[in-house]
Amino acid sequence: MFLTHLIQAGWAKKLKTSVMAFDIAQFFPSLNHDVLMVVIQKVGFPLVLGNFFHSYLTGHKTMYKWDNLVSGLFAADIGVGQGSGLSLVLSGLYIGPVLQLFSFEPISKEVQLLSYMDDSTVLTQSTHLAQNLPKLKKAYGIIFRLLTTLGLILEHDKSEVFYFSRLRGESHPPIDLGFAPYTGDTPLGPKLYWQYLGFYFNHALTFREHVQYYSTKALIMVKALGMLRNSNRGVLVLHKHLLYRMCMVPMAMYGLCL
């Protein structure tokens, strides 16, 4: 909703929006415990909490069992376990310094850095799309440097660029990131549609592709629910109602507020 607001507010000022999404390789397993402990200390958490996180993260070991065969112990204290109760909190603390240090850069006055865990996006606006390219490239280089300092790696081949413009037939130029494979004669071309955090965006923010995708997915689910019966009888009406509310409605209504 924030991203959509920025785009529409830019259109009101006759500005065109360009976004670039980038991906961090193996984000959760790559979080360095020493760096994380320093961050927890620097942001002002009490020592007892820092000691708890240190105990929670370090010294873990695991073993493998196959039938009656049991392996020895292996160290398993790298990164932060994805899906654990504290993984989102700890990863948010880890990525926080990147957001703060980027805000000190002069380019941050023209480019916004948005992050949802390891799904991050930079956004900028100008009167012409071509004016956005050098700003995105410079911001991408700074983010690459900051993430590398924290021991994180950008997967350049998974980066995406997308433009929001209501003018039909407008040219959407590719961008030279300055990093292989999208540099020189092989720049990064814009996508026709952009999928981000489960949403499908098009250039004019009509969300037609988003509605089509989730309505099709919901209809497929309807047909799949028909298999929930045996040779004697089908599903009770009460259970059909429950399945509809639990499986169909959330899928068909995904992103309704947007």
Side-chain angles (χ1 to χ4, degrees):
M1 294 182 70
F2 177 63
L3 179 63
T4 305
H5 168 73
L6 291 178
I7 296 167
Q8 293 176 336
W11 285 344
K13 301 177 182 178
K14 297 183 179 182
L15 299 177
K16 299 175 182 179
T17 303
S18 301
V19 298
M20 179 183 295
F22 55 90
D23 189 78
I24 303 173
Q26 295 294 313
F27 177 65
F28 289 98
S30 300
L31 302 186
N32 185 287
H33 294 161
D34 293 333
V35 174
L36 186 56
M37 292 303 105
V38 173
V39 172
I40 291 174
Q41 179 184 359
K42 291 292 185 180
V43 297
F45 286 114
L47 179 62
V48 63
L49 187 60
N51 292 336
F52 166 76
F53 281 128
H54 185 271
S55 175
Y56 175 77
L57 293 170
T58 61
H60 288 186
K61 294 184 179 181
T62 188
M63 63 174 59
Y64 297 93
K65 185 172 187 272
W66 184 272
D67 291 334
N68 295 325
L69 299 177
V70 180
S71 72
L73 291 174
F74 294 91
D77 58 352
I78 61 171
V80 174
Q82 186 173 1
S84 67
L86 289 174
S87 62
L88 295 179
V89 176
L90 294 174
S91 58
L93 288 171
Y94 199 96
I95 207 72
V98 176
L99 302 175
Q100 184 179 23
L101 292 173
F102 183 82
S103 68
F104 297 153
E105 298 286 342
I107 193 66
S108 65
K109 297 179 180 179
E110 301 179 88
V111 178
Q112 292 204 45
L113 172 59
L114 312 176
S115 179
Y116 184 82
M117 299 302 110
D118 57 331
D119 293 317
S120 302
T121 303
V122 287
L123 176 148
T124 188
Q125 296 175 320
S126 300
T127 54
H128 297 88
L129 292 177
Q131 297 175 351
N132 291 336
L133 301 185
K135 294 187 287 186
L136 288 178
K137 181 178 181 180
K138 184 175 182 180
Y140 188 84
I142 294 173
I143 293 169
F144 172 77
R145 173 172 54 83
L146 294 174
L147 291 176
T148 302
T149 303
L150 291 178
L152 300 175
I153 301 174
L154 270 182
E155 292 189 273
H156 304 302
D157 58 336
K158 292 186 178 181
S159 298
E160 299 175 326
V161 65
F162 193 77
Y163 305 112
F164 291 94
S165 174
R166 291 179 291 185
L167 295 179
R168 293 184 178 181
E170 184 176 17
S171 175
H172 294 167
I175 182 173
D176 185 340
L177 286 183
F179 298 92
Y182 300 123
T183 186
D185 296 332
T186 57
L188 175 60
K191 301 176 72 69
L192 185 60
Y193 308 111
W194 180 43
Q195 191 271 334
Y196 183 63
L197 298 180
F199 291 91
Y200 289 81
F201 294 93
N202 57 20
H203 302 296
L205 279 184
T206 60
F207 290 100
R208 291 193 183 96
E209 293 73 24
H210 179 88
V211 173
Q212 181 179 5
Y213 174 81
Y214 282 101
S215 60
T216 302
K217 194 173 181 179
L219 289 172
I220 293 174
M221 177 66 73
V222 170
K223 295 181 179 180
L225 292 179
M227 295 186 292
L228 298 177
R229 61 175 181 262
N230 54 36
S231 58
N232 294 324
R233 64 175 183 175
V235 182
L236 297 177
V237 175
L238 178 62
H239 294 164
K240 287 182 180 180
H241 176 74
L242 182 61
L243 287 169
Y244 176 80
R245 296 297 301 272
M246 294 292 292
C247 301
M248 293 294 305
V249 174
M251 186 180 298
M253 298 291 107
Y254 184 85
L256 178 63
C257 58
L258 184 60

